Coordinates of all heavy atoms in Angstrom, one line a residue:
A1 N -9.1 -8.3 2.4 CA -9.3 -8.0 3.8 C -10.7 -7.5 4.1 O -11.2 -6.7 3.3 CB -8.2 -6.9 4.2
K2 N -11.2 -7.9 5.2 CA -12.6 -7.5 5.5 C -12.8 -6.0 5.6 O -13.8 -5.5 5.1 CB -13.0 -8.1 6.9 CG -13.6 -9.6 6.7 CD -14.5 -9.9 7.9 CE -15.3 -11.1 7.6 NZ -14.6 -12.3 7.3
C3 N -11.9 -5.3 6.2 CA -12.0 -3.9 6.4 C -12.1 -3.1 5.0 O -12.7 -2.1 4.9 CB -11.0 -3.3 7.2 SG -9.3 -3.5 6.6
Q4 N -11.5 -3.7 4.0 CA -11.5 -3.1 2.7 C -12.9 -3.2 2.1 O -13.2 -2.5 1.1 CB -10.5 -3.7 1.8 CG -9.1 -3.3 2.0 CD -8.2 -3.9 1.1 OE1 -7.6 -4.9 1.3 NE2 -8.1 -3.3 -0.1
C5 N -13.8 -4.0 2.6 CA -15.1 -4.2 2.1 C -16.2 -3.4 2.8 O -17.3 -3.4 2.5 CB -15.5 -5.7 2.1 SG -14.7 -6.6 0.8
K6 N -15.7 -2.6 3.8 CA -16.6 -1.8 4.6 C -16.8 -0.5 3.7 O -16.2 0.5 4.0 CB -16.1 -1.5 6.0 CG -16.2 -2.6 6.9 CD -16.0 -2.2 8.4 CE -16.4 -3.3 9.3 NZ -15.3 -4.1 9.7
V7 N -17.7 -0.6 2.7 CA -17.9 0.6 1.8 C -19.4 0.9 2.0 O -20.3 0.0 2.0 CB -17.6 0.2 0.4 CG1 -17.9 1.4 -0.5 CG2 -16.2 -0.3 0.2
V8 N -19.7 2.2 2.3 CA -21.1 2.7 2.4 C -21.8 2.3 1.2 O -21.3 2.5 0.1 CB -21.1 4.2 2.6 CG1 -22.4 4.6 3.3 CG2 -19.9 4.7 3.4
P9 N -23.0 1.7 1.3 CA -23.8 1.2 0.1 C -23.8 2.3 -1.0 O -23.6 1.9 -2.2 CB -25.2 0.9 0.7 CG -24.9 0.5 2.1 CD -23.7 1.3 2.5
R10 N -24.1 3.5 -0.7 CA -24.2 4.5 -1.8 C -22.9 4.8 -2.5 O -22.8 5.4 -3.5 CB -24.9 5.8 -1.3 CG -24.2 6.6 -0.3 CD -25.0 7.8 0.3 NE -24.5 8.2 1.5 CZ -23.4 8.9 1.7 NH1 -22.6 9.2 0.7 NH2 -23.0 9.3 3.0
E11 N -21.8 4.4 -1.9 CA -20.4 4.7 -2.5 C -19.9 3.4 -3.2 O -18.7 3.5 -3.7 CB -19.5 5.2 -1.4 CG -19.8 6.6 -0.9 CD -18.9 7.0 0.2 OE1 -18.0 6.3 0.6 OE2 -19.2 8.1 0.8
R12 N -20.6 2.4 -3.2 CA -20.2 1.2 -3.9 C -20.1 1.3 -5.4 O -20.9 1.9 -6.0 CB -21.1 0.0 -3.6 CG -21.1 -0.5 -2.2 CD -22.0 -1.6 -2.0 NE -22.2 -2.0 -0.6 CZ -23.0 -2.9 -0.1 NH1 -23.8 -3.5 -1.0 NH2 -23.1 -3.2 1.1
T13 N -19.0 0.8 -6.0 CA -18.9 0.8 -7.4 C -18.9 -0.6 -7.9 O -18.3 -1.5 -7.4 CB -17.5 1.5 -7.9 OG1 -16.4 0.8 -7.3 CG2 -17.5 2.9 -7.6
N14 N -19.7 -0.8 -8.9 CA -20.0 -2.2 -9.4 C -18.8 -2.9 -9.9 O -17.9 -2.3 -10.5 CB -21.0 -2.1 -10.6 CG -21.8 -3.4 -10.8 OD1 -21.6 -4.3 -10.0 ND2 -22.6 -3.4 -11.8
C15 N -18.7 -4.2 -9.5 CA -17.5 -5.0 -9.9 C -18.0 -6.4 -10.3 O -17.6 -7.3 -9.7 CB -16.6 -5.0 -8.6 SG -15.1 -6.0 -8.9
G16 N -18.8 -6.5 -11.3 CA -19.2 -7.8 -11.7 C -20.3 -7.6 -12.8 O -20.2 -6.7 -13.6
Y17 N -21.2 -8.6 -12.7 CA -22.3 -8.5 -13.7 C -23.6 -8.9 -13.0 O -23.6 -9.4 -11.9 CB -22.0 -9.5 -14.9 CG -21.7 -10.9 -14.4 CD1 -22.7 -11.8 -14.1 CD2 -20.3 -11.3 -14.2 CE1 -22.4 -13.1 -13.7 CE2 -20.0 -12.5 -13.8 CZ -21.1 -13.4 -13.5 OH -20.7 -14.7 -13.1
P18 N -24.7 -8.5 -13.6 CA -26.0 -8.8 -12.9 C -26.1 -10.3 -12.6 O -25.8 -11.1 -13.5 CB -27.1 -8.3 -13.9 CG -26.4 -7.3 -14.7 CD -24.9 -7.8 -14.8
G19 N -26.5 -10.6 -11.4 CA -26.7 -12.0 -11.1 C -25.5 -12.8 -10.7 O -25.5 -14.0 -10.5
I20 N -24.3 -12.1 -10.6 CA -23.1 -12.8 -10.2 C -23.3 -13.4 -8.8 O -23.9 -12.9 -7.9 CB -21.9 -11.8 -10.2 CG1 -20.6 -12.5 -10.1 CG2 -22.0 -10.7 -9.1 CD1 -19.3 -11.6 -10.3
S21 N -22.6 -14.6 -8.6 CA -22.7 -15.3 -7.3 C -21.7 -14.7 -6.4 O -20.7 -14.1 -6.8 CB -22.5 -16.8 -7.5 OG -21.1 -17.0 -7.8
A22 N -21.9 -14.9 -5.1 CA -20.9 -14.4 -4.1 C -19.6 -15.0 -4.3 O -18.5 -14.3 -4.3 CB -21.4 -14.7 -2.7
A23 N -19.5 -16.3 -4.6 CA -18.3 -17.0 -4.8 C -17.5 -16.5 -6.1 O -16.3 -16.2 -6.0 CB -18.5 -18.5 -5.0
E24 N -18.3 -16.3 -7.2 CA -17.7 -15.7 -8.4 C -17.1 -14.3 -8.1 O -16.1 -13.9 -8.6 CB -18.7 -15.7 -9.5 CG -18.1 -15.6 -10.9 CD -17.1 -16.6 -11.3 OE1 -17.3 -17.8 -11.0 OE2 -16.1 -16.2 -12.0
C25 N -17.9 -13.5 -7.4 CA -17.5 -12.1 -7.1 C -16.2 -12.1 -6.3 O -15.3 -11.4 -6.6 CB -18.7 -11.5 -6.3 SG -18.3 -9.8 -5.7
K26 N -16.1 -13.0 -5.3 CA -14.9 -13.0 -4.5 C -13.7 -13.5 -5.3 O -12.6 -13.1 -5.0 CB -15.2 -13.8 -3.2 CG -16.1 -13.1 -2.2 CD -16.3 -13.9 -1.0 CE -17.2 -13.0 0.0 NZ -18.3 -13.8 0.6
K27 N -14.0 -14.4 -6.2 CA -12.9 -15.0 -7.0 C -12.2 -14.0 -7.8 O -11.1 -14.1 -8.1 CB -13.5 -16.1 -7.9 CG -12.5 -17.1 -8.4 CD -13.0 -18.1 -9.4 CE -14.0 -19.1 -8.7 NZ -14.7 -20.0 -9.6
I28 N -13.0 -12.9 -8.3 CA -12.4 -11.9 -9.1 C -11.9 -10.7 -8.2 O -11.6 -9.7 -8.7 CB -13.3 -11.4 -10.2 CG1 -14.7 -10.8 -9.6 CG2 -13.6 -12.5 -11.2 CD1 -15.5 -10.1 -10.7
G29 N -11.8 -11.0 -6.9 CA -11.2 -10.0 -6.0 C -12.1 -8.9 -5.6 O -11.6 -7.8 -5.2
C30 N -13.4 -9.1 -5.6 CA -14.3 -8.1 -5.2 C -15.0 -8.4 -3.9 O -14.9 -9.5 -3.4 CB -15.4 -7.9 -6.3 SG -14.6 -7.4 -7.9
C31 N -15.8 -7.5 -3.4 CA -16.6 -7.7 -2.2 C -18.0 -8.1 -2.5 O -18.5 -7.6 -3.5 CB -16.6 -6.4 -1.3 SG -14.9 -5.8 -1.0
F32 N -18.6 -8.8 -1.7 CA -20.0 -9.2 -1.9 C -20.8 -9.0 -0.6 O -20.5 -9.5 0.4 CB -20.1 -10.7 -2.4 CG -21.5 -11.1 -2.8 CD1 -21.9 -10.9 -4.2 CD2 -22.5 -11.6 -2.0 CE1 -23.2 -11.2 -4.6 CE2 -23.8 -11.9 -2.4 CZ -24.1 -11.7 -3.7
N33 N -21.9 -8.2 -0.8 CA -22.8 -8.0 0.3 C -24.2 -7.8 -0.2 O -24.5 -6.7 -0.8 CB -22.4 -6.9 1.2 CG -23.3 -6.6 2.4 OD1 -24.4 -6.9 2.4 ND2 -22.7 -6.0 3.4
A34 N -25.1 -8.7 0.0 CA -26.5 -8.6 -0.6 C -27.5 -8.1 0.4 O -28.7 -8.3 0.2 CB -26.9 -10.0 -1.2
S35 N -27.1 -7.4 1.4 CA -28.0 -7.0 2.5 C -28.8 -5.8 2.1 O -29.8 -5.5 2.7 CB -27.3 -6.9 3.8 OG -26.4 -5.8 3.7
V36 N -28.3 -5.0 1.2 CA -29.0 -3.7 0.8 C -29.5 -3.8 -0.6 O -28.7 -4.0 -1.5 CB -28.0 -2.5 0.9 CG1 -28.7 -1.2 0.7 CG2 -27.3 -2.5 2.3
P37 N -30.9 -3.7 -0.8 CA -31.4 -3.7 -2.2 C -31.0 -2.5 -3.0 O -30.7 -1.4 -2.4 CB -32.9 -3.8 -1.9 CG -33.1 -3.2 -0.6 CD -31.9 -3.5 0.2
S38 N -31.1 -2.6 -4.3 CA -30.9 -1.4 -5.2 C -29.5 -0.8 -5.2 O -29.3 0.3 -5.6 CB -31.9 -0.3 -5.0 OG -33.1 -0.9 -4.7
V39 N -28.5 -1.5 -4.7 CA -27.1 -1.0 -4.8 C -26.3 -2.2 -5.3 O -26.7 -3.4 -5.1 CB -26.5 -0.5 -3.5 CG1 -27.3 0.7 -3.0 CG2 -26.5 -1.6 -2.4
P40 N -25.1 -2.0 -5.8 CA -24.3 -3.1 -6.3 C -24.0 -4.1 -5.1 O -23.6 -3.6 -4.0 CB -23.0 -2.5 -6.8 CG -23.4 -1.1 -7.1 CD -24.4 -0.7 -6.1
W41 N -24.2 -5.4 -5.3 CA -23.9 -6.4 -4.3 C -22.5 -6.9 -4.4 O -21.9 -7.3 -3.5 CB -24.9 -7.5 -4.4 CG -26.3 -7.2 -4.0 CD1 -26.7 -6.0 -3.4 CD2 -27.4 -8.1 -4.0 NE1 -28.0 -6.1 -3.1 CE2 -28.5 -7.3 -3.5 CE3 -27.6 -9.4 -4.4 CZ2 -29.8 -7.9 -3.3 CZ3 -28.9 -9.9 -4.3 CH2 -30.0 -9.2 -3.7
C42 N -22.0 -6.8 -5.7 CA -20.6 -7.2 -5.9 C -19.9 -5.9 -6.3 O -20.3 -5.3 -7.3 CB -20.6 -8.2 -7.1 SG -18.9 -8.7 -7.5
Y43 N -19.0 -5.5 -5.4 CA -18.4 -4.1 -5.6 C -17.0 -4.1 -5.3 O -16.4 -5.0 -4.7 CB -19.2 -3.1 -4.7 CG -19.2 -3.5 -3.2 CD1 -18.3 -3.0 -2.3 CD2 -20.2 -4.4 -2.7 CE1 -18.3 -3.4 -1.0 CE2 -20.2 -4.8 -1.4 CZ -19.2 -4.3 -0.5 OH -19.3 -4.6 0.8
N44 N -16.3 -3.0 -5.7 CA -14.9 -2.9 -5.6 C -14.5 -2.6 -4.1 O -15.2 -1.8 -3.5 CB -14.4 -1.7 -6.5 CG -14.4 -2.1 -7.9 OD1 -13.8 -3.0 -8.4 ND2 -15.2 -1.4 -8.7
P45 N -13.4 -3.3 -3.6 CA -13.0 -3.0 -2.3 C -12.3 -1.6 -2.2 O -11.9 -1.0 -3.3 CB -11.9 -4.0 -2.0 CG -11.5 -4.5 -3.4 CD -12.6 -4.3 -4.3
K46 N -12.2 -1.0 -1.0 CA -11.5 0.2 -0.9 C -10.0 0.0 -1.2 O -9.5 -1.1 -0.9 CB -11.6 0.7 0.6 CG -13.0 1.3 0.9 CD -12.9 2.1 2.2 CE -13.3 1.2 3.4 NZ -13.7 1.9 4.6
P47 N -9.4 1.0 -1.7 CA -7.9 0.8 -2.0 C -7.2 0.6 -0.7 O -7.6 1.1 0.4 CB -7.5 2.0 -2.7 CG -8.6 3.0 -2.4 CD -9.8 2.3 -2.1
K48 N -6.1 -0.2 -0.7 CA -5.3 -0.4 0.5 C -4.7 0.9 0.9 O -4.3 1.7 0.0 CB -4.2 -1.4 0.3 CG -4.8 -2.8 0.2 CD -3.6 -3.8 0.1 CE -4.1 -5.2 0.3 NZ -4.0 -6.0 -0.9
K49 N -4.6 1.2 2.2 CA -3.9 2.4 2.7 C -2.4 2.0 2.8 O -2.1 1.0 3.5 CB -4.5 2.8 4.0 CG -5.8 3.5 3.9 CD -6.0 4.4 5.2 CE -7.2 5.3 5.0 NZ -8.4 4.8 5.6
V50 N -1.6 2.8 2.2 CA -0.2 2.5 2.2 C 0.6 3.7 2.6 O 0.1 4.9 2.5 CB 0.4 2.0 0.9 CG1 -0.2 0.6 0.6 CG2 0.2 2.9 -0.2
K51 N 1.7 3.5 3.3 CA 2.6 4.7 3.6 C 4.0 4.2 3.3 O 4.3 3.1 3.3 CB 2.4 5.1 5.0 CG 2.7 4.1 6.0 CD 2.4 4.6 7.4 CE 2.7 3.5 8.5 NZ 2.3 3.8 9.8
K52 N 4.9 5.2 3.1 CA 6.3 4.9 2.8 C 7.1 5.2 4.1 O 6.9 6.2 4.7 CB 6.8 5.8 1.7 CG 6.2 5.4 0.3 CD 7.0 6.0 -0.8 CE 6.5 5.5 -2.1 NZ 7.1 4.3 -2.7
V53 N 7.9 4.2 4.5 CA 8.6 4.3 5.7 C 10.1 3.9 5.4 O 10.4 3.3 4.4 CB 8.1 3.4 6.8 CG1 6.7 3.8 7.2 CG2 8.1 1.9 6.4
C54 N 11.0 4.4 6.3 CA 12.4 4.0 6.2 C 12.5 2.6 6.9 O 12.1 2.5 8.0 CB 13.3 5.0 6.9 SG 13.2 6.6 6.0
P55 N 13.0 1.6 6.1 CA 13.1 0.3 6.8 C 14.0 0.3 7.9 O 15.1 1.0 7.9 CB 13.6 -0.6 5.6 CG 14.1 0.3 4.6 CD 13.5 1.6 4.8
N56 N 13.7 -0.5 9.0 CA 14.5 -0.5 10.2 C 15.7 -1.4 10.0 O 16.8 -1.1 10.6 CB 13.7 -1.0 11.4 CG 12.7 0.0 11.9 OD1 13.0 1.2 11.8 ND2 11.5 -0.4 12.3
D57 N 15.6 -2.5 9.3 CA 16.7 -3.4 9.2 C 17.7 -2.9 8.2 O 17.4 -2.8 7.0 CB 16.1 -4.8 8.7 CG 17.2 -5.9 8.5 OD1 18.4 -5.5 8.7 OD2 16.9 -7.0 8.2
P58 N 18.9 -2.6 8.6 CA 19.9 -2.0 7.7 C 20.3 -2.9 6.6 O 20.8 -2.5 5.6 CB 21.1 -1.7 8.6 CG 20.9 -2.4 9.9 CD 19.4 -2.7 10.0
Y59 N 20.1 -4.2 6.8 CA 20.6 -5.2 5.8 C 19.5 -5.4 4.7 O 19.8 -6.1 3.7 CB 21.0 -6.5 6.4 CG 22.2 -6.2 7.4 CD1 21.9 -6.1 8.7 CD2 23.4 -6.0 6.9 CE1 23.0 -5.7 9.6 CE2 24.5 -5.6 7.7 CZ 24.2 -5.5 9.1 OH 25.3 -5.1 9.9
T60 N 18.4 -4.7 4.8 CA 17.4 -4.8 3.7 C 17.4 -3.5 2.9 O 16.6 -3.3 2.0 CB 16.0 -5.0 4.2 OG1 15.6 -3.9 5.0 CG2 15.9 -6.3 5.0
R61 N 18.3 -2.6 3.2 CA 18.3 -1.3 2.5 C 18.7 -1.5 1.0 O 19.5 -2.3 0.6 CB 19.4 -0.4 3.1 CG 19.0 0.0 4.5 CD 20.1 0.9 5.1 NE 19.8 1.3 6.5 CZ 20.6 1.9 7.3 NH1 21.9 2.2 6.9 NH2 20.3 2.2 8.5
I62 N 18.0 -0.7 0.2 CA 18.3 -0.7 -1.3 C 18.9 0.7 -1.6 O 18.3 1.7 -1.3 CB 17.0 -0.9 -2.1 CG1 16.5 -2.3 -1.8 CG2 17.3 -0.8 -3.6 CD1 15.1 -2.5 -2.2
N63 N 20.1 0.7 -2.1 CA 20.9 1.9 -2.3 C 20.1 2.9 -3.2 O 19.6 2.6 -4.2 CB 22.2 1.6 -3.0 CG 23.2 2.7 -2.8 OD1 22.9 3.7 -2.3 ND2 24.4 2.4 -3.3
C64 N 20.1 4.2 -2.7 CA 19.4 5.3 -3.4 C 20.4 6.4 -3.7 O 20.0 7.4 -4.2 CB 18.3 5.8 -2.5 SG 17.4 7.2 -3.2
G65 N 21.7 6.2 -3.4 CA 22.6 7.3 -3.6 C 23.9 6.9 -4.3 O 23.9 6.0 -5.1
Y66 N 25.0 7.4 -3.8 CA 26.3 7.1 -4.3 C 27.3 7.3 -3.1 O 26.9 8.0 -2.1 CB 26.7 8.0 -5.5 CG 26.4 9.5 -5.2 CD1 27.3 10.3 -4.5 CD2 25.2 10.1 -5.5 CE1 27.0 11.6 -4.2 CE2 24.9 11.4 -5.2 CZ 25.8 12.2 -4.6 OH 25.5 13.5 -4.3
P67 N 28.4 6.7 -3.2 CA 29.4 6.8 -2.1 C 29.6 8.3 -1.7 O 29.9 9.1 -2.6 CB 30.7 6.1 -2.6 CG 30.2 5.2 -3.6 CD 29.0 5.9 -4.3
G68 N 29.5 8.7 -0.5 CA 29.8 10.0 0.0 C 28.6 11.0 -0.2 O 28.8 12.2 0.0
I69 N 27.4 10.5 -0.6 CA 26.3 11.4 -0.7 C 26.0 12.1 0.6 O 26.2 11.5 1.7 CB 25.0 10.7 -1.3 CG1 23.9 11.7 -1.6 CG2 24.6 9.7 -0.2 CD1 22.8 11.0 -2.4
K70 N 25.6 13.4 0.6 CA 25.3 14.1 1.8 C 23.8 13.9 2.1 O 23.0 13.6 1.3 CB 25.5 15.6 1.5 CG 26.9 16.0 1.2 CD 27.7 16.2 2.4 CE 29.1 16.7 2.1 NZ 30.1 15.6 1.7
A71 N 23.5 13.9 3.4 CA 22.2 13.7 3.9 C 21.1 14.5 3.2 O 20.1 14.0 2.8 CB 22.1 13.9 5.4
K72 N 21.4 15.8 3.0 CA 20.4 16.7 2.4 C 20.2 16.3 0.9 O 19.1 16.4 0.4 CB 20.7 18.2 2.5 CG 21.9 18.7 1.8 CD 21.9 20.3 2.0 CE 22.8 21.0 1.0 NZ 24.2 20.6 1.0
D73 N 21.2 15.9 0.2 CA 21.1 15.4 -1.2 C 20.3 14.1 -1.3 O 19.5 13.9 -2.2 CB 22.4 15.2 -1.9 CG 23.2 16.5 -2.0 OD1 22.6 17.6 -2.1 OD2 24.5 16.5 -1.8
C74 N 20.5 13.3 -0.3 CA 19.7 12.0 -0.2 C 18.2 12.3 0.1 O 17.4 11.8 -0.6 CB 20.3 11.2 0.9 SG 19.4 9.6 1.2
T75 N 17.9 13.1 1.1 CA 16.5 13.4 1.4 C 15.8 14.2 0.3 O 14.6 14.0 0.1 CB 16.4 14.1 2.8 OG1 17.2 15.2 2.8 CG2 16.8 13.1 3.9
R76 N 16.6 15.0 -0.4 CA 16.0 15.7 -1.5 C 15.5 14.8 -2.6 O 14.6 15.1 -3.3 CB 17.0 16.7 -2.1 CG 16.4 17.8 -3.0 CD 17.5 18.7 -3.5 NE 18.0 19.6 -2.5 CZ 19.3 19.9 -2.4 NH1 20.2 19.5 -3.2 NH2 19.7 20.7 -1.4
K77 N 16.2 13.6 -2.7 CA 15.7 12.6 -3.7 C 14.5 11.8 -3.1 O 14.1 10.9 -3.8 CB 16.9 11.6 -3.9 CG 18.0 12.2 -4.7 CD 19.2 11.2 -4.8 CE 18.8 10.0 -5.7 NZ 20.0 9.2 -6.1
G78 N 14.1 12.1 -1.9 CA 13.0 11.4 -1.3 C 13.4 10.1 -0.7 O 12.6 9.2 -0.4
C79 N 14.7 10.0 -0.3 CA 15.2 8.7 0.3 C 15.5 8.9 1.7 O 15.4 10.0 2.2 CB 16.4 8.2 -0.5 SG 15.9 7.7 -2.2
C80 N 15.8 7.8 2.4 CA 16.2 7.9 3.8 C 17.7 8.0 4.0 O 18.4 7.4 3.1 CB 15.7 6.6 4.5 SG 14.0 6.1 4.2
F81 N 18.2 8.6 5.0 CA 19.6 8.7 5.3 C 19.9 8.3 6.7 O 19.3 8.9 7.6 CB 20.1 10.1 5.0 CG 21.6 10.2 5.1 CD1 22.4 10.0 4.0 CD2 22.2 10.6 6.3 CE1 23.8 10.0 4.0 CE2 23.6 10.7 6.3 CZ 24.4 10.4 5.2
R82 N 20.7 7.3 6.9 CA 21.2 7.0 8.2 C 22.7 6.6 8.1 O 23.0 5.6 7.5 CB 20.4 5.8 8.8 CG 19.0 6.2 9.2 CD 18.4 5.3 10.3 NE 17.0 5.7 10.4 CZ 16.0 4.9 10.0 NH1 16.2 3.7 9.5 NH2 14.7 5.3 10.2
A83 N 23.6 7.4 8.7 CA 25.0 7.2 8.5 C 25.6 6.1 9.5 O 26.5 6.3 10.2 CB 25.7 8.5 8.8
H84 N 24.9 4.9 9.5 CA 25.4 3.8 10.2 C 24.5 2.6 9.8 O 23.5 2.8 9.2 CB 25.2 4.0 11.8 CG 23.7 4.4 12.1 ND1 22.8 3.4 12.3 CD2 23.1 5.6 12.2 CE1 21.6 4.0 12.6 NE2 21.8 5.3 12.5
P85 N 24.9 1.4 10.0 CA 26.2 0.9 10.3 C 27.1 0.9 9.1 O 26.6 1.2 8.0 CB 26.0 -0.5 10.8 CG 24.8 -1.0 10.0 CD 23.9 0.3 9.9
A86 N 28.4 0.5 9.2 CA 29.3 0.5 8.1 C 28.9 -0.7 7.2 O 28.3 -1.7 7.7 CB 30.7 0.3 8.6
G87 N 29.2 -0.6 5.9 CA 29.0 -1.7 5.0 C 27.6 -1.9 4.4 O 27.3 -2.9 3.8
V88 N 26.7 -0.9 4.7 CA 25.4 -0.9 4.1 C 25.1 0.4 3.5 O 25.8 1.4 4.0 CB 24.3 -1.3 5.1 CG1 24.5 -2.7 5.6 CG2 24.2 -0.3 6.3
P89 N 24.2 0.6 2.6 CA 23.9 1.9 2.0 C 23.4 2.9 3.2 O 22.6 2.5 4.0 CB 22.8 1.7 1.0 CG 22.9 0.2 0.7 CD 23.4 -0.5 1.9
W90 N 23.9 4.1 3.2 CA 23.5 5.1 4.1 C 22.3 5.9 3.6 O 21.5 6.5 4.3 CB 24.6 6.0 4.5 CG 25.6 5.3 5.4 CD1 25.6 4.0 5.8 CD2 26.8 5.9 6.0 NE1 26.7 3.8 6.6 CE2 27.5 4.9 6.7 CE3 27.4 7.2 5.9 CZ2 28.6 5.2 7.4 CZ3 28.5 7.4 6.6 CH2 29.2 6.4 7.4
C91 N 22.3 6.0 2.2 CA 21.1 6.6 1.6 C 20.4 5.5 0.9 O 20.9 4.8 0.0 CB 21.7 7.6 0.5 SG 20.4 8.5 -0.4
F92 N 19.1 5.3 1.3 CA 18.4 4.2 0.8 C 16.9 4.5 0.6 O 16.4 5.4 1.2 CB 18.5 3.0 1.7 CG 18.3 3.3 3.2 CD1 17.0 3.1 3.8 CD2 19.2 3.9 4.0 CE1 16.8 3.4 5.1 CE2 19.0 4.2 5.3 CZ 17.8 4.0 5.9
Y93 N 16.3 3.7 -0.3 CA 14.9 3.9 -0.6 C 13.9 3.6 0.5 O 14.2 2.8 1.4 CB 14.5 3.0 -1.8 CG 15.0 3.5 -3.1 CD1 16.2 2.9 -3.7 CD2 14.4 4.5 -3.8 CE1 16.7 3.3 -4.9 CE2 14.9 5.0 -5.0 CZ 16.1 4.4 -5.5 OH 16.6 4.8 -6.7
R94 N 12.8 4.3 0.5 CA 11.7 4.1 1.5 C 11.0 2.8 1.0 O 11.1 2.4 -0.1 CB 10.7 5.2 1.5 CG 11.2 6.5 2.0 CD 10.2 7.6 1.8 NE 10.8 8.8 2.3 CZ 10.6 9.2 3.6 NH1 9.9 8.5 4.4 NH2 11.1 10.3 4.0
R95 N 10.4 2.1 1.9 CA 9.6 0.9 1.6 C 8.1 1.2 1.8 O 7.8 1.9 2.8 CB 10.1 -0.2 2.6 CG 9.3 -1.4 2.4 CD 10.0 -2.7 2.6 NE 11.3 -2.9 1.9 CZ 12.3 -3.5 2.4 NH1 12.3 -3.9 3.7 NH2 13.4 -3.6 1.7
T96 N 7.3 0.7 0.9 CA 5.9 0.9 1.0 C 5.3 -0.2 1.9 O 5.6 -1.4 1.7 CB 5.2 0.8 -0.4 OG1 5.8 1.8 -1.2 CG2 3.7 1.0 -0.3
V97 N 4.5 0.2 2.9 CA 3.9 -0.8 3.8 C 2.4 -0.5 3.9 O 2.0 0.6 3.7 CB 4.5 -0.8 5.3 CG1 5.9 -1.3 5.3 CG2 4.4 0.6 5.9
E98 N 1.6 -1.5 4.1 CA 0.2 -1.4 4.3 C -0.1 -1.0 5.7 O 0.5 -1.5 6.7 CB -0.5 -2.7 4.0 CG -0.6 -3.0 2.5 CD -1.3 -4.3 2.3 OE1 -2.1 -4.8 3.1 OE2 -1.0 -4.9 1.2
E99 N -1.0 0.0 5.9 CA -1.4 0.4 7.3 C -2.4 -0.6 7.9 O -3.2 -1.2 7.2 CB -2.0 1.8 7.2 CG -1.0 2.8 6.9 CD -1.6 4.2 7.0 OE1 -2.3 4.5 8.0 OE2 -1.3 5.0 6.1

């Protein structure tokens, strides 16, 4: 993603070898920008920003509890609790999404 390559030149960490081409750099999953002298041109992208959310679709829930688990016991485990609909886990894992 382009936004992951917006790294201030002085904060770039080298991700290649001297004289690496732009194509080779991108092929190994790195960013390439040769506009600033004396800093790495092939550098590591910023880590993706992720957050954990409770999935909206009840049919994609992955069970995190046991039958009859109480809401507070479920949330204490770091999971989501929604006592509806019937036939799906009410205590379920959060899902990691990219921001």
Side-chain angles (χ1 to χ4, degrees):
K2 274 204 164 57
C3 59
Q4 284 181 262
C5 286
K6 286 196 167 92
V7 179
V8 203
R10 63 186 161 73
E11 289 175 7
R12 291 180 186 174
T13 54
N14 203 2
C15 179
Y17 51 86
I20 191 171
S21 70
E24 194 60 40
C25 177
K26 289 182 176 135
K27 200 185 290 173
I28 59 172
C30 302
C31 304
F32 189 89
N33 180 335
S35 64
V36 185
S38 323
V39 296
W41 288 357
C42 180
Y43 55 95
N44 291 298
K46 283 196 272 201
K48 288 187 168 109
K49 284 202 168 98
V50 294
K51 61 182 176 186
K52 292 199 175 266
V53 296
C54 296
N56 288 325
D57 181 355
Y59 300 98
T60 62
R61 293 178 183 172
I62 297 162
N63 198 356
C64 178
Y66 47 85
I69 190 171
K70 299 276 183 278
K72 71 173 194 306
D73 296 325
C74 176
T75 52
R76 195 178 290 140
K77 289 175 70 167
C79 293
C80 307
F81 187 87
R82 290 203 186 111
H84 56 82
V88 296
W90 288 1
C91 178
F92 50 97
Y93 286 100
R94 293 173 179 271
R95 176 146 309 140
T96 302
V97 293
E98 286 180 25
E99 288 186 47

